[in-house]
Amino acid sequence: MSEYVLDPRGAREIDARLERAGLLDLTMEEAGRAVADAVMARHPVGPALLLAGGGANGGDALVAARHLLALGREVHVLAQPARHPLTRLNRRRLRTVGGEVRPLTPAALRRALAGAGVVVDGLLGTGFTPPLRSALATVVDVVNTAHDAGTPVVSIDLPSGLDACSAHPDGPSVTADQTVTLMGLKTALLFGEAAARSGEMILAPLRAPPGWVRGEALGTRPSDAQVGALLPRRSADAHKGTAGRIWILGGHPGTVGAAALAGLGALRAGAGLVTVHSEAEVPLVTPELMMRRHADWSSALPGLHGLGLPDAVALGMGLGPQARAVARTVLGWRVPTVLDADALHPELAGHGHDACIWTPHPGEAARLLGTPSGAVTRDPLAAARRLQELLGGVVVLKGGPSVVAFPDSSGGVTLSVARGGHPGMASGGMGDTLSGILAALLGQGLSAQDAAVAGVRLHARAGERAGAAHGYGLIATDVCAELGAAWLDLRGTLSPTLPPDGSPRRSRPQILQMVTSAPPDC
């Protein structure tokens, strides 16, 4: 099932509907139990110290304390004065079963931390807007000092001090080992430094009517099973002419590798025939790629059009100064098209169509939107929406994770957040490879929306597999080599773990395989 991404407004609206239905108390009970279960599963030893704020987040902490007591855990609770009626109710319930609640002060916190096996942060939730008040900032500092000394921390919904809508922390916040996020994901848990401070994300969906959550969601994060179902399936009588004819338009003196990597990505993602068209001499990284060198794009494009158009085109990878003119011409062909790198320009806004995919990284996105790059990375969801509204078609805002934005049937914009990936993918050529993957999926008949959603996850899964073999020293050809196994993973055909013998896969770039298999006298 898809996981939903919520902002504070959407979370408040869901809570309001639950309250009107008389279900909010039951939902808080379910949330607190989920937190207690996560604590017991990951930190089963030692006293549990729970910090409860005055709002609903504190109520969740108090419910968690009661469940931990019922499980036989030693529990200590430090709490701020309760403001929310359900927080006051659950404080009384905790006392009824023998739990003690003491006032939260920095001094009391330091004493309680001395023997704690785990700290549960229930101080502030998604409704918080920075900055922290000085008293709470001191509490957060004490918690983080204990965390740095080895005491594990579990946050409820969001580490206290973070803005749920921002990937950039504005001031101090709790640093958590795990965050149990309730009902849906939040921007801060998915992107940037805020996600790093959140630790492992544990989603507790809760049992609200799914339509209520879906109606308030900013976007979704599809499961691997949903992505796998999008990937094309070949019939038994398939041949190279029916598996997608792809053109790669790119490469310029000094940047020829970009087009080659896009072509390799397209082949490894199932394209039947891939031709690289370039003004430069592009290296033949694998003999299955076909190469066409042209003297000049202005004369080459009319001739290419006359040959009969391919099933999909990817352009812009190292294409150079003529990229804008080439992109404008190719978009006029109205074939499925991926635009990357040099082909990403604001003046192309309005020239897109339903079958095109734009693939900016944050720096390119900032240039397209006329905004600082920090504004893009602070809120990638909002940036992806604005890009789609500007450019049309489908937008893949690349990052860790990537965001796909596409038009919905009501005239709005739907957002899909990719899962997975590996930090080692932060190296040159990864975006070029992705462009080839997307073109291959378009050429095999997927819509631009489905190709984008499936392609970014396929690319990320291949990166995960390559990371298991190479660690942080990944290069784009390592990821290309893992695309076939990643495809099987998403289809559920191959175990997503390492090979049965437990050893890492030692895949090597295709070009190295060719060299090492050559006769000794070559």
Side-chain angles (χ1 to χ4, degrees):
M1 296 293 291
S2 288
E3 299 166 347
Y4 295 103
V5 183
L6 297 171
D7 63 4
R9 186 208 60 77
R12 284 194 301 271
E13 182 56 34
I14 295 167
D15 282 351
R17 294 189 71 169
L18 289 167
E19 187 171 22
R20 290 193 296 269
L23 297 171
L24 189 57
D25 184 18
L26 298 177
T27 305
M28 183 175 284
E29 183 72 18
E30 189 180 1
R33 181 169 185 164
V35 171
D37 289 345
V39 169
M40 291 299 292
R42 286 162 176 78
H43 310 288
V45 178
L49 172 60
L50 294 99
L51 309 180
N57 200 248
D60 298 332
L62 293 165
V63 174
R66 178 161 42 82
H67 281 282
L68 288 168
L69 273 175
L71 292 168
R73 193 74 176 264
E74 181 182 345
V75 171
H76 303 280
V77 179
L78 299 178
Q80 294 181 301
R83 302 186 312 273
H84 195 287
L86 289 181
T87 303
R88 291 194 292 269
L89 173 62
N90 280 293
R91 181 179 287 209
R92 293 195 297 271
R93 287 171 172 170
L94 179 60
R95 284 174 173 154
T96 299
V97 299
E100 181 183 358
V101 179
R102 291 178 292 153
L104 173 62
T105 66
L109 176 57
R110 290 187 183 95
R111 289 193 298 270
L113 280 167
V118 61
V119 176
V120 178
D121 159 36
L123 295 170
L124 298 168
T126 55
F128 168 73
T129 301
L132 282 170
R133 299 194 311 273
S134 59
L136 267 182
T138 300
V139 168
V140 166
D141 183 61
V142 173
V143 170
N144 285 342
T145 298
H147 177 267
D148 292 343
T151 302
V153 176
V154 177
S155 287
I156 299 176
D157 214 18
L158 194 72
S160 293
L162 290 181
D163 180 345
C165 297
S166 177
H168 295 179
D170 293 316
S173 68
V174 167
T175 299
D177 295 281
Q178 290 89 27
T179 296
V180 182
T181 185
L182 308 172
M183 200 75 72
L185 311 173
K186 284 82 184 178
T187 297
L189 302 177
L190 292 166
F191 302 98
E193 174 60 23
R197 294 189 190 183
S198 303
E200 176 194 4
M201 184 170 54
I202 304 166
L203 175 61
L206 310 183
R207 298 299 195 275
W212 294 7
V213 182
R214 184 170 56 248
E216 300 298 334
L218 292 175
T220 62
R221 188 170 76 158
S223 68
D224 279 355
Q226 288 173 312
V227 172
L230 298 176
L231 293 171
R233 297 176 183 271
R234 289 186 182 174
S235 62
D237 61 347
H239 56 82
K240 63 186 178 184
T242 61
R245 295 183 304 116
I246 309 302
W247 287 356
I248 306 295
L249 276 58
H252 189 262
T255 56
V256 292
L261 289 170
L264 186 57
L267 283 173
R268 287 295 188 184
L273 292 164
V274 181
T275 305
V276 176
H277 296 271
S278 181
E279 288 185 338
E281 191 70 41
V282 175
L284 185 65
V285 294
T286 183
E288 293 85 356
L289 276 178
M290 295 178 285
M291 301 291 184
R292 288 281 305 276
R293 188 173 181 182
H294 303 279
D296 180 76
W297 284 116
S298 59
S299 59
L301 291 175
L304 288 176
H305 185 277
L307 292 175
L309 294 176
D311 297 302
V313 176
L315 65 98
M317 297 72 61
L319 188 54
Q322 295 192 59
R324 279 172 284 182
V326 173
R328 194 178 295 110
T329 298
V330 172
L331 286 170
W333 294 349
R334 312 298 286 184
V335 299
T337 302
V338 180
L339 298 103
D340 189 22
D342 295 335
L344 298 171
H345 282 274
E347 68 183 58
L348 293 174
H351 290 272
H353 52 77
D354 292 344
C356 71
I357 303 175
W358 311 81
T359 64
H361 58 57
E364 293 161 340
R367 186 179 73 243
L368 288 165
L369 294 172
T371 190
S373 59
V376 174
T377 56
R378 175 179 292 275
D379 191 350
L381 296 174
R385 181 184 291 106
R386 289 178 57 203
L387 285 164
Q388 197 285 323
E389 292 168 345
L390 172 70
L391 298 170
V394 174
V395 169
V396 174
L397 176 55
K398 294 182 290 196
S402 297
V403 180
V404 179
F406 51 90
D408 60 31
S409 57
S410 65
V413 179
T414 295
L415 301 174
S416 175
V417 180
R419 63 178 68 232
H422 190 277
M425 296 174 77
S427 65
M430 294 292 175
D432 305 314
T433 300
L434 175 62
S435 293
I437 293 168
L438 296 174
L441 295 177
L442 288 172
Q444 292 171 80
L446 269 64
S447 68
Q449 169 188 329
D450 288 349
V453 171
V456 294
R457 178 57 186 136
L458 178 63
H459 184 241
R461 180 60 189 145
E464 292 165 10
R465 283 188 153 270
H470 301 284
Y472 288 97
L474 295 187
I475 56 176
T477 45
D478 296 332
V479 174
C480 285
E482 296 290 349
L483 284 169
W487 188 296
L488 295 175
D489 287 345
L490 297 178
R491 276 281 179 80
T493 310
L494 188 67
S495 169
T497 58
L498 293 175
D501 63 359
S503 61
R505 296 174 60 91
R506 294 296 174 186
S507 301
R508 294 179 293 171
Q510 179 71 29
I511 191 168
L512 294 184
Q513 293 174 355
M514 292 166 58
V515 171
T516 55
S517 62
D521 58 347
C522 285

